[in-house]
Amino acid sequence: MRGISFEILNAYGKYLFEILDGTNIKGLTWKIGGGESYFIENNTLGNPLFPTTCILDGERLHKEISKEDYYLIFVDLKGFPKKSDVREIATYQEFVESECQFVLLLIDSSYVTIYSKDQITIKHIFSKAVTAGYKNIEYITDENDERTTLIAL
């Protein structure tokens, strides 16, 4: 198994926190790619959830995604072991050959794709997705993976 894909509601909330809760989020360094997500302020889009492309430690990422509601449009998160070579990962082959452990891509506010080198993490997120009532939940395998890039576009 390469990962998992599913659809979340096109609504604001704490989806990243819900999806990543119970994973090794705090134990990784996160490369935040170009994306578009906003905190909800006075029932409308407010400040950006993440600065434009940056690197955050897991504690900071956890804090940002757990404190208040936000609206996700595009998200590109890549998790690396602390003190490793944090760099752009554009293809599945680069993911396999890199130190990157986890990729989360969200496109068009609803479509989530996750790759992980840890099979237990994939199964954990699958179970959480079912419990949360997400739609079109599928494991990503060598046979059904249609992604050509691991960048949220």
Side-chain angles (χ1 to χ4, degrees):
M1 267 185 306
R2 292 181 175 195
I4 180 175
S5 65
F6 52 88
E7 291 177 44
I8 61 174
L9 287 176
N10 182 351
Y12 63 82
K14 295 181 185 156
Y15 285 111
L16 293 176
F17 178 73
E18 292 170 12
I19 293 165
L20 296 173
D21 189 39
T23 67
N24 186 28
I25 181 173
K26 293 181 182 179
L28 299 173
T29 297
W30 293 87
K31 182 176 186 324
I32 313 300
E36 190 176 0
S37 301
Y38 301 94
F39 284 112
I40 299 301
E41 299 169 7
N42 299 318
N43 235 10
T44 189
L45 300 183
N47 290 321
L49 176 59
F50 303 116
T52 309
T53 61
C54 66
I55 296 174
L56 296 178
D57 67 55
E59 293 284 339
R60 171 108 187 267
L61 177 65
H62 183 267
K63 180 181 173 190
E64 291 300 313
I65 65 174
S66 64
K67 64 182 179 181
E68 54 192 88
D69 286 348
Y70 41 82
Y71 182 68
L72 306 171
I73 300 170
F74 291 97
V75 176
D76 186 328
L77 301 177
K78 295 180 175 93
F80 294 80
K82 294 183 178 186
K83 299 185 177 163
S84 65
D85 178 25
V86 176
R87 59 186 179 87
E88 184 56 65
I89 304 295
T91 66
Y92 181 73
Q93 191 61 36
E94 288 177 6
F95 171 68
V96 169
E97 295 170 357
S98 74
E99 294 181 80
C100 184
Q101 298 297 302
F102 192 92
V103 174
L104 184 148
L105 304 171
L106 180 135
I107 298 168
D108 292 340
S109 304
S110 297
Y111 303 97
V112 178
T113 304
I114 294 172
Y115 292 87
S116 177
K117 290 182 177 170
D118 179 27
Q119 299 295 301
I120 293 169
T121 297
I122 295 169
K123 290 176 184 174
H124 171 75
I125 294 172
F126 187 97
S127 176
K128 288 183 58 147
V130 170
T131 301
Y134 300 152
K135 304 291 183 211
N136 299 318
I137 306 164
E138 284 186 71
Y139 284 117
I140 301 169
T141 64
D142 292 342
E143 291 75 33
N144 72 359
D145 192 358
E146 297 178 358
R147 287 198 73 87
T148 57
T149 181
L150 295 187
I151 298 173
L153 300 172

